[in-house]
Every structure is written in C-alpha cells, then in structure tokens.
Amino acid sequence: MFGRRASDMAPGTHYRSERVSAVNGQYFFSTREGTLEGPFFTRVDTEREIALYIRRIQQANAILAFRGR
C-alpha cells in the first residue's frame, strides 16, 4: 500500500499487515502508534473495536485541527 499520513515527514511505502493477533484465546490489535489494544473475546469484537478506535483517532485529529485554526 502506498500512502502517507499527515504526521509523516517524508513520503514512504507502507505495507498492510495483519493487525489482529490471538494469544491464549484472546484477541488483540496493534496500532500504527505502536500500542497493543485488547484483550477481546472474539475476532468480531476485535474488528468492531478497531473501527471504533479509528473513529476516535479521526475525531481527535479533527478537534485538534479545529483548535489549531
């Protein structure tokens, strides 16, 4: 995948990787920020939480952008 986040200093190539992992029957997901979120009971729960996490990050970025005007 080719892409650049607004916070990246230089353009680069980013490759998609599996962000969901299972450890002892519990599920986790890793973020671009380097955090490991979880545990969750099912993969479906994990994927739902990923969507919520992305929405929270986007909302936070929108608030920061608004305040920075």
Side-chain angles (χ1 to χ4, degrees):
M1 177 176 131
F2 298 100
R4 181 173 171 220
R5 294 183 290 178
S7 62
D8 290 342
M9 292 299 174
T13 303
H14 301 279
Y15 298 96
R16 287 223 183 261
S17 63
E18 183 62 37
R19 294 188 186 267
V20 176
S21 57
V23 178
N24 294 328
Q26 296 180 318
Y27 292 86
F28 299 83
F29 68 90
S30 59
T31 67
R32 284 183 172 180
E33 293 75 25
T35 64
L36 189 62
E37 306 292 323
F40 305 102
F41 292 112
T42 67
R43 186 174 182 95
V44 172
D45 291 342
T46 308
E47 291 172 359
R48 182 187 64 240
E49 291 298 325
I50 291 170
L52 293 171
Y53 177 86
I54 291 169
R55 189 164 50 185
R56 282 194 308 270
I57 294 297
Q58 289 172 338
Q59 288 173 342
N61 288 338
I63 290 168
L64 291 173
F66 180 76
R67 289 184 179 174
R69 283 198 242 170

